[in-house]
Amino acid sequence: MNYFSSKFKLGILGGGQLGKMLLYNTRKFDIYTCVLEASNDAPCKIASDEFHLGDLMDYDAVYNFGKQVDVLTIEIENVNVDALEALEKEGVKVYPASKTLRAIQNKAKQKLFYIDKDLPTAPFSRFAYTSEIEDAINHGGLSLPFVWKCAQFGYDGTGVKVVKSVEDLKGLPNVECIAENLVPFKNELAVIVARSPSGETKTYPVVEMEFHPEANQVEYVICPARIDDDIAEKAKEIALRTSKAFNHVGLLAVEMFQTQDDEILINEVAPRPHNSGHQTIEASYTSQFEQHIRAILDLPLGRTDSKVGGVMVNLVGAEGFTGNVIYENIEAIMKMDGVTPHIYGKKQTRPFRKMGHVTIVNEDLNEARKVAEQVKNTIKVISE
Amino acid sequence: MNYFSSKFKLGILGGGQLGKMLLYNTRKFDIYTCVLEASNDAPCKIASDEFHLGDLMDYDAVYNFGKQVDVLTIEIENVNVDALEALEKEGVKVYPASKTLRAIQNKAKQKLFYIDKDLPTAPFSRFAYTSEIEDAINHGGLSLPFVWKCAQFGYDGTGVKVVKSVEDLKGLPNVECIAENLVPFKNELAVIVARSPSGETKTYPVVEMEFHPEANQVEYVICPARIDDDIAEKAKEIALRTSKAFNHVGLLAVEMFQTQDDEILINEVAPRPHNSGHQTIEASYTSQFEQHIRAILDLPLGRTDSKVGGVMVNLVGAEGFTGNVIYENIEAIMKMDGVTPHIYGKKQTRPFRKMGHVTIVNEDLNEARKVAEQVKNTIKVISE
């Protein structure tokens, strides 16, 4: 297949910021690209060759869109998987595969997959309904504290709650869920693995994540993680095994805990470019977005090592502001050393909404980390 | 002025590959962008917020387009300068200024500017018509060999000829021209200077250029140039003085000769992102395209030093091929270390047409140069 010709069509499900950053690279390679997205205000509205309006959870919308392309990928997991399965049967190359998405979309199934494949993860219990949890506690089948996670459609910032007492269960939706052991950890780590249909595999350096204590969103991503080499090797090895276990094609971001005993436990995975890899645009030889394109098109994978140290800061809407967005002090952060803001182009801000990110690179990672904190303390995403 | 809002509009005259690479950065900063371009097949057709069809040399087209934007820039020099001058008078910020473009568009005027500003350049004679040259030779006013340059609208690959005998004058267009002393040089160098309206100025490292012997197009750009520090300093200092002499805003690419006596002579300038700066996308802390946006919007300039060594190879149409383009062996070069192809998206190739470029980066510049040669010997831009 000659990808560098207008006869080839790449389809992307989802038109958000990840899609937007993928499009920089399809443009760079001049690969013809079609985007399916429900909103006309989406960041991918421009820069794709074809923009199709449609609901990603709707069977017909996804199927009819997919029939027009040669390779289909996603920038968000919540898509109609039945349509993907039908498309696979009809010869469309779907990466990630419908089977992988099914296992990942449901957190209970995802956890069972790890256990089945002998991949390390925190112990957990599965419940058909949240209401069953109190019984389990009362009968000694579950002990407090634990992490409650909605099984379906959970994502960063919602669908997860630390439960310290029975009281904390109140107000949670009565849905399929898991109760996961609360792991006392030293670090949250992530490794992005790239894998192509022909089986070529590369891992990015292990990154370290610092979360916002309230919003449960990543605040800083630090590349490389400031951990011992043997821990980094262990994390990479587990991430690689996970990608292979899924027989995955494309990027797989594997989020992990480094426990107090230096055990590595898989937290969750994302089968696509990921927030923990944004710094690769400036810091790595090959950005995660270019790598995803290379992987799904079975092109040779690019170098995954870093040119310089990188730190990523998420730009999320400040609390107390909703409406037309303003990036206060953006010029001040652009004056700082090695700082690149990425503005996603969402017109409306609201508290904790991901509006952009800032990458800080430096030969000296500690210097980058210092500047990142200045960036965080300077720029504010507010409304008019 | 809040650039990061949809009330602000940036206009770009020209929709070619330089515009396309500028758009990666307006997209990254979510800056609203309008492009004026004569062809619907241009690389900028997508990814701008507004694409306007129009002739860049047409007064009304440029004027009416420019009236709709707040800041106007170019990606090609050959635009209607009268329209720019009118727009400046009406308050549109035009970078580069009409005055600068007038001085640059005509090579005779450009050379006179250098002499006027005491900037070093090779001696030359100016002729209203090529037909006057033979007389000048016969009367001893001009000695062979020399470089004939068309004064107007010359650009890479045309409008320039080395004249070794009177015979060589045959077939040249009978237009305004200059005859420039043929400078025996060791190296062709270039420095890109960024300058903002408030006067902040930064220079990129000196690069070394190797030209294709026949096509007179750059074949390799090597960053940094493998020259002595004192020569590099001299080149940077002259480039900086040139930018200031023009009172320039935006990028100014200054092409220079390093003579056998280590003199630095200005060859010519381009008031925009330039072929000699493409490697900055992968090799530098701030790409030339981001820097141009920062400069013309009076944002703080980014770091201009390099993360790693970079070599750029132009992808030009192979001789003997005209028609629908094919990038033969592109997958083979993507397998090489640190290689990123940039495909501009022109559908038709012809001999020596610029169809893309390839950047090769490496910690070790010599290694990058080696890989660049492999790239050059492997990929071929041919037709179906």
Side-chain angles (χ1 to χ4, degrees):
Chain A
M1 174 75 71
N2 179 9
Y3 304 116
F4 305 94
S5 107
S6 56
K7 285 160 203 154
F8 171 81
K9 289 189 181 184
L10 172 65
I12 302 174
L13 296 174
Q17 63 263 23
L18 299 176
K20 178 178 171 177
M21 291 184 271
L22 277 172
L23 292 180
Y24 297 155
N25 295 281
T26 56
R27 293 274 293 143
K28 186 169 74 185
F29 293 162
D30 195 42
I31 289 166
Y32 193 96
T33 311
C34 311
V35 168
L36 181 70
E37 162 63 41
S39 163
N40 242 327
D41 286 334
C44 289
K45 181 63 200 291
I46 59 173
S48 52
D49 293 274
E50 294 178 23
F51 183 80
H52 298 244
L53 267 182
D55 182 347
L56 299 175
M57 292 306 296
D58 182 74
Y59 181 95
D60 289 336
V62 172
Y63 177 82
N64 292 330
F65 174 79
K67 281 300 281 178
Q68 301 170 52
V69 303
D70 301 288
V71 173
L72 186 59
T73 191
I74 58 158
E75 62 110 48
I76 185 167
E77 290 92 324
N78 298 333
V79 300
N80 190 296
V81 180
D82 292 335
L84 296 187
E85 203 176 327
L87 290 163
E88 282 166 346
K89 282 181 187 147
E90 294 176 30
V92 179
K93 290 175 183 170
V94 180
Y95 305 125
S98 61
K99 202 178 148 195
T100 304
L101 277 174
R102 271 197 215 290
I104 289 172
Q105 277 188 347
N106 184 297
K107 282 189 186 167
K109 280 191 196 163
Q110 197 185 130
K111 294 283 286 187
L112 288 170
F113 179 86
Y114 301 140
I115 292 180
D116 187 42
K117 299 291 182 181
D118 207 20
L119 291 161
T121 192
F124 73 104
S125 305
R126 186 181 184 181
F127 297 94
Y129 298 97
T130 305
S131 57
E132 295 172 358
I133 293 182
E134 205 172 325
D135 260 10
I137 297 171
N138 291 340
H139 292 92
L142 184 67
S143 48
L144 293 159
F146 59 83
V147 185
W148 174 91
K149 291 181 177 176
C150 167
Q152 291 281 2
F153 299 115
Y155 60 92
D156 248 20
T158 64
V160 175
K161 190 177 183 184
V162 174
V163 176
K164 290 177 186 158
S165 70
V166 174
E167 278 299 295
D168 289 339
L169 288 167
K170 278 182 187 147
L172 289 177
N174 195 23
V175 293
E176 186 191 352
C177 59
I178 60 171
E180 195 177 62
N181 282 18
L182 189 63
V183 178
F185 56 81
K186 283 182 194 171
N187 280 307
E188 296 206 49
L189 307 174
V191 173
I192 291 177
V193 182
R195 195 160 174 278
S196 65
S198 53
E200 190 188 0
T201 308
K202 288 197 179 174
T203 55
Y204 278 90
V206 183
V207 300
E208 187 186 331
M209 295 182 291
E210 288 181 39
F211 277 71
H212 187 283
E214 285 162 60
N216 197 34
Q217 281 182 323
V218 177
E219 209 170 19
Y220 298 107
V221 171
I222 298 162
C223 178
R226 295 160 299 181
I227 55 173
D228 290 343
D229 284 355
D230 58 328
I231 305 294
E233 279 314 303
K234 202 196 277 186
K236 278 187 175 187
E237 183 262 331
I238 288 168
L240 260 176
R241 278 208 285 135
T242 309
S243 169
K244 281 178 188 159
F246 279 113
N247 199 21
H248 187 62
V249 169
L251 297 189
L252 189 74
V254 184
E255 295 185 69
M256 293 169 276
F257 299 116
Q258 176 189 1
T259 68
Q260 298 295 350
D261 307 329
D262 286 339
E263 243 191 309
I264 298 288
L265 299 176
I266 299 170
N267 178 17
E268 58 181 25
V269 299
R272 51 165 171 77
H274 188 251
N275 197 251
S276 66
H278 286 352
Q279 76 291 338
T280 59
I281 297 175
E282 287 85 6
S284 305
Y285 276 91
T286 312
S287 86
Q288 66 164 341
F289 300 98
E290 176 175 333
Q291 196 76 296
H292 186 68
I293 303 289
R294 285 179 178 242
I296 62 175
L297 300 188
D298 211 9
L299 292 165
L301 300 179
R303 284 178 67 171
T304 50
D305 50 338
S306 299
K307 296 171 190 165
V308 285
V311 178
M312 194 275 300
V313 178
N314 276 322
L315 285 184
V316 299
E319 285 185 271
F321 295 91
T322 298
N324 292 332
V325 65
I326 290 177
Y327 303 92
E328 199 178 68
N329 296 329
I330 187 165
E331 303 197 12
I333 68 158
M334 288 177 80
K335 211 168 187 162
M336 298 174 188
D337 234 27
V339 167
T340 307
H342 292 254
I343 306 299
Y344 297 154
K346 300 171 185 176
K347 298 307 167 205
Q348 302 289 313
T349 186
R350 55 176 185 263
F352 302 117
R353 187 176 194 198
K354 278 187 193 166
M355 301 299 288
H357 75 263
V358 181
T359 310
I360 302 95
V361 288
N362 202 292
E363 306 83 331
D364 176 355
L365 182 62
N366 293 323
E367 183 57 30
R369 179 62 184 75
K370 244 185 255 170
V371 175
E373 197 147 335
Q374 289 166 26
V375 165
K376 190 147 189 65
N377 293 336
T378 304
I379 192 168
K380 260 210 155 71
V381 182
I382 58 171
S383 54
E384 285 180 346
Chain B
M1 174 75 71
N2 179 9
Y3 304 116
F4 306 93
S5 108
S6 56
K7 284 159 206 156
F8 172 81
K9 288 188 182 183
L10 171 66
I12 302 175
L13 295 175
Q17 63 264 21
L18 299 176
K20 178 178 172 177
M21 293 184 270
L22 278 172
L23 292 180
Y24 297 156
N25 295 282
T26 56
R27 293 274 292 143
K28 185 168 76 184
F29 293 162
D30 195 43
I31 289 166
Y32 193 96
T33 311
C34 311
V35 168
L36 180 70
E37 162 63 43
S39 164
N40 241 326
D41 286 334
C44 290
K45 180 64 200 293
I46 58 173
S48 53
D49 293 273
E50 295 178 23
F51 183 80
H52 298 244
L53 267 181
D55 183 347
L56 299 175
M57 291 307 294
D58 182 74
Y59 181 94
D60 290 336
V62 171
Y63 178 82
N64 292 330
F65 174 79
K67 281 300 282 177
Q68 302 170 50
V69 303
D70 301 288
V71 174
L72 186 59
T73 191
I74 58 157
E75 62 111 47
I76 185 167
E77 289 93 323
N78 298 333
V79 300
N80 190 296
V81 181
D82 292 335
L84 296 187
E85 203 176 327
L87 290 163
E88 282 167 346
K89 283 181 186 145
E90 294 177 30
V92 178
K93 290 175 183 169
V94 180
Y95 305 126
S98 61
K99 204 179 148 194
T100 305
L101 277 173
R102 270 196 216 288
I104 289 173
Q105 276 188 348
N106 185 298
K107 282 190 186 167
K109 280 192 195 161
Q110 198 185 130
K111 293 283 285 189
L112 289 170
F113 179 86
Y114 301 140
I115 291 179
D116 187 42
K117 299 291 181 181
D118 207 20
L119 291 161
T121 192
F124 74 103
S125 305
R126 187 182 183 182
F127 297 93
Y129 297 97
T130 306
S131 57
E132 295 172 357
I133 293 182
E134 206 174 324
D135 259 9
I137 297 172
N138 292 338
H139 292 90
L142 184 67
S143 49
L144 294 159
F146 59 83
V147 185
W148 174 91
K149 291 180 178 177
C150 168
Q152 290 281 3
F153 300 115
Y155 60 93
D156 247 21
T158 66
V160 176
K161 190 178 183 186
V162 175
V163 176
K164 291 177 186 158
S165 71
V166 174
E167 279 298 295
D168 289 339
L169 288 167
K170 280 185 184 143
L172 289 177
N174 195 23
V175 292
E176 185 192 352
C177 58
I178 60 171
E180 195 178 61
N181 281 18
L182 189 63
V183 179
F185 56 82
K186 283 183 192 169
N187 281 307
E188 296 205 49
L189 307 174
V191 173
I192 292 177
V193 182
R195 197 160 173 277
S196 65
S198 54
E200 190 187 359
T201 307
K202 287 198 178 173
T203 55
Y204 278 90
V206 184
V207 300
E208 188 186 331
M209 295 181 291
E210 287 181 40
F211 277 70
H212 186 283
E214 286 162 61
N216 196 34
Q217 281 182 323
V218 177
E219 208 169 19
Y220 299 107
V221 172
I222 298 162
C223 178
R226 295 160 298 181
I227 54 173
D228 291 342
D229 284 354
D230 58 329
I231 305 294
E233 279 314 305
K234 202 195 278 185
K236 278 187 175 187
E237 184 262 330
I238 288 168
L240 259 176
R241 279 206 286 135
T242 310
S243 169
K244 281 178 188 159
F246 279 114
N247 199 20
H248 187 63
V249 170
L251 297 190
L252 189 74
V254 184
E255 296 186 68
M256 293 168 277
F257 299 115
Q258 176 189 0
T259 69
Q260 297 296 350
D261 307 328
D262 285 339
E263 243 192 308
I264 297 289
L265 299 176
I266 299 170
N267 178 16
E268 57 181 24
V269 299
R272 51 164 171 77
H274 188 252
N275 198 252
S276 66
H278 287 350
Q279 75 292 339
T280 59
I281 297 175
E282 287 85 6
S284 305
Y285 276 92
T286 311
S287 86
Q288 65 165 342
F289 300 97
E290 176 176 334
Q291 197 75 293
H292 186 68
I293 303 290
R294 285 179 179 242
I296 63 175
L297 300 188
D298 212 8
L299 292 165
L301 299 180
R303 284 178 66 171
T304 49
D305 50 336
S306 298
K307 296 170 191 167
V308 285
V311 177
M312 194 274 302
V313 178
N314 276 321
L315 285 183
V316 299
E319 284 185 271
F321 295 91
T322 299
N324 291 333
V325 65
I326 290 177
Y327 302 92
E328 197 178 70
N329 297 329
I330 187 166
E331 303 197 11
I333 68 159
M334 289 177 80
K335 211 168 187 163
M336 299 174 188
D337 233 28
V339 167
T340 308
H342 292 253
I343 305 299
Y344 297 153
K346 301 172 184 174
K347 298 307 166 205
Q348 302 289 314
T349 185
R350 55 175 187 262
F352 303 116
R353 186 176 194 197
K354 279 188 194 168
M355 301 299 288
H357 74 263
V358 181
T359 311
I360 302 95
V361 287
N362 201 292
E363 305 84 332
D364 176 355
L365 182 63
N366 293 322
E367 183 57 31
R369 180 62 184 77
K370 245 185 254 170
V371 174
E373 197 148 335
Q374 289 167 26
V375 164
K376 187 142 191 69
N377 293 335
T378 303
I379 192 167
K380 261 212 154 71
V381 182
I382 58 173
S383 55
E384 284 179 348

